[in-house]
Amino acid sequence: MATQPSLYTLFIQLEPLQIEPPVWRRIRVNSDCTLRKLHHFIQAAFGWHSCHLHEFQVGLNRYTPLDPEFADLQDDAQDDRRIKLTKAFKHVDRVRYTYDIGDSWQHVIALEAQEPSNVSGTWCEVLDGAGACPPEDVGGVPGYQDFLQVIAQPDSEEGKEALAWAGGHFDPRLFDCRAANAAVQRICNNLWG
């Protein structure tokens, strides 16, 4: 017997207590969304480029894209396309998501609310958020903290170089909810994941 679809409101924070200003997003997503689809939604909502490996940790279980090239790292991992949010949040209210295993960007995903829904299939929306996503390949939390210190002096040679590397401009407080939601909606319309 199929269960009634629900909408989950998820609060996702990047490196809680590690990054200032805080970087977080609040999204609403179908409960029948797989962890792989959630990965794509997180990437779009935060502004990541999805060019690195990722992993979800639900309790003691690990879920990731299985790849024979990385079999030695994935010996106890399961396919993230095979678990839906209803199962992931069945016995827990928090899930850990790591993006870019090298930089090790840790996100904590908290289930804030659950409500009945008539929506089925791939669906997500960004409700709110704060803070700019760190640039890809900045070096994790320590590299990002160094980057923020350097760009705080934009007229220095180092500051100019760092800003040029980041695309010419970077405001760590910037968050555009409409742009994040548009990115998420493109994924819904393209049926990624």
Side-chain angles (χ1 to χ4, degrees):
M1 181 174 158
T3 59
Q4 172 73 23
S6 297
L7 289 177
Y8 285 177
T9 301
L10 303 177
F11 179 81
I12 307 165
Q13 186 166 2
L14 176 62
E15 298 286 356
L17 307 176
Q18 300 275 331
I19 293 180
E20 197 56 47
V23 179
W24 60 270
R25 305 293 183 262
R26 180 172 285 114
I27 66 172
R28 187 177 299 137
V29 64
N30 287 58
S31 62
D32 63 352
C33 174
T34 65
L35 290 179
R36 177 73 58 88
K37 287 180 186 173
L38 181 61
H39 158 73
H40 291 298
F41 291 143
I42 292 170
Q43 292 289 300
F46 275 81
W48 294 117
H49 299 155
S50 197
C51 54
H52 298 286
L53 292 175
H54 69 275
E55 176 181 285
F56 289 91
Q57 186 171 353
V58 180
L60 298 175
N61 298 314
R62 295 172 45 229
Y63 300 90
T64 190
L66 298 181
D67 185 337
E69 185 177 334
F70 300 103
D72 57 326
L73 300 173
Q74 301 174 329
D75 57 347
D76 62 340
Q78 299 173 52
D79 190 339
D80 65 346
R81 294 173 299 180
R82 303 261 183 244
I83 183 170
K84 295 185 177 185
L85 296 183
T86 50
K87 184 175 179 184
F89 285 103
K90 187 172 186 175
H91 300 293
V92 298
D93 63 355
R94 287 188 179 4
V95 168
R96 184 167 294 281
Y97 167 74
T98 304
Y99 172 62
D100 186 350
I101 306 305
D103 280 358
S104 191
W105 289 110
Q106 302 288 321
H107 303 67
V108 175
I109 304 169
L111 176 59
E112 287 189 324
Q114 180 178 350
E115 58 191 270
S117 170
N118 294 327
V119 178
S120 63
T122 303
W123 185 84
C124 180
E125 69 176 325
V126 179
L127 302 174
D128 199 4
C133 181
E136 291 276 357
D137 301 320
V138 75
V141 172
Y144 184 55
Q145 290 169 338
D146 291 345
F147 172 77
L148 291 178
Q149 286 180 343
V150 169
I151 68 166
Q153 321 251 308
D155 294 329
S156 72
E157 194 60 40
E158 268 189 311
K160 289 177 185 176
E161 288 175 14
L163 286 170
W165 174 80
H169 176 75
F170 187 84
D171 179 353
R173 292 175 181 15
L174 183 66
F175 171 68
D176 183 339
C177 193
R178 280 184 16 179
N181 203 41
V184 165
Q185 291 304 308
R186 281 192 297 277
I187 290 173
C188 290
N189 294 335
N190 291 328
L191 303 175
W192 287 8

